[in-house]
Amino acid sequence: MQPSPAGAPPRSRKYLVRDRIFGIGDDYWIEDEHGHHAFLVDGKALRLRETFELKDPERRVLITIRKKMLALRDTMTIERDDRPLATIKRKRLSLLRHHYRVELVDGTALDVSGKILDREFAVEYEGELLAEISRRWLTVRDTYAVNVVRDDADPPLLIAIAVGVIRLAERERGED
C-alpha cells in the first residue's frame, strides 16, 4: 500500500453496514455515504461453517469471508477469486483493548485495535490509518460506518476485515 501523494488530502469513502449482518441466509446491502447500494452481503445458508460473500451491485462475488474450521484460536479467512487473501486472528497479548492481526498472503500485516464490540476501532498498516470503524457519526440504529481514508486502500477488503473482526469478538464473548 502506498501513501497518498505529498500534500494531497486523503479522500475518504464511507460505507454504512448493518450491525447484524451475520444471519445465515440473510442478504443485506451496504450503502455508500450517498445512500447508493455499494456491496451486497450474502449470508450463505446450508454450509457447514459460517460463510459470507461480499458482492458488487451486479452480484459478482468480490470477497468471501469464512470461519476457519480447524484452528486452535477462532480465525476468519478472507478469499478473493477462490484464493486465500488474508487471515484474521486475535493477538495473544491484548489486555485492555481488542487487538487483532490481519495477515495478507503477500506477508503484509494489518493491525486492528479499539473497542470492537462498541464498533469503535481502526485498521492500520505500519501505524498509518487505513480505515476507521465507528457508530459515532450515525443516528441510524444498528449501523456502523467503515470510513476508508486512503485512496489506495481496498474498500471490499477493509469491510471484510471489519465484519470478520466483529464476528470473532462476538464469538469470543459468546454471542453465537
Side-chain angles (χ1 to χ4, degrees), residues 54-110:
L54 189 62
K55 298 179 177 182
D56 67 13
E58 288 76 37
R59 298 180 183 255
R60 292 180 297 237
V61 176
L62 301 173
I63 298 268
T64 303
I65 309 164
R66 289 191 171 100
K67 181 182 181 305
K68 194 168 184 179
M69 290 299 287
L70 301 172
L72 294 174
R73 291 184 289 166
D74 270 352
T75 303
M76 299 294 279
T77 60
I78 299 172
E79 299 172 2
R80 181 175 276 148
D81 299 325
D82 294 321
R83 289 184 302 226
L85 180 61
T87 303
I88 306 170
K89 293 180 186 176
R90 181 171 178 149
K91 283 187 175 180
R92 288 199 185 273
L93 298 173
S94 54
L95 302 174
L96 299 176
R97 298 167 62 128
H98 286 103
H99 289 275
Y100 290 83
R101 186 160 197 92
V102 180
E103 298 278 341
L104 302 179
V105 293
D106 69 2
T108 302
L110 306 178

Side-chain angles (χ1 to χ4, degrees), residues 9-79:
R11 188 180 89 219
S12 94
R13 295 166 283 171
K14 260 187 211 163
Y15 301 93
L16 305 179
V17 183
R18 189 176 72 190
D19 201 14
R20 292 255 174 216
I21 63 172
F22 277 102
I24 296 297
D26 287 351
D27 293 351
Y28 175 72
W29 282 103
I30 294 174
E31 298 178 348
D32 65 16
E33 58 193 313
H34 306 291
H36 300 112
H37 289 170
F39 304 104
L40 177 67
V41 176
D42 184 358
K44 293 299 189 186
L46 305 174
R47 299 275 172 106
L48 291 176
R49 58 183 172 169
E50 291 177 297
T51 301
F52 306 92
E53 293 177 338
L54 189 62
K55 298 179 177 182
D56 67 13
E58 288 76 37
R59 298 180 183 255
R60 292 180 297 237
V61 176
L62 301 173
I63 298 268
T64 303
I65 309 164
R66 289 191 171 100
K67 181 182 181 305
K68 194 168 184 179
M69 290 299 287
L70 301 172
L72 294 174
R73 291 184 289 166
D74 270 352
T75 303
M76 299 294 279
T77 60
I78 299 172
E79 299 172 2

Side-chain angles (χ1 to χ4, degrees), residues 134-151:
S134 181
R135 283 187 172 154
R136 71 177 170 263
W137 305 303
L138 305 172
T139 56
V140 179
R141 191 171 176 206
D142 295 331
T143 302
Y144 60 91
V146 176
N147 185 24
V148 178
V149 299
R150 283 195 31 181
D151 284 339

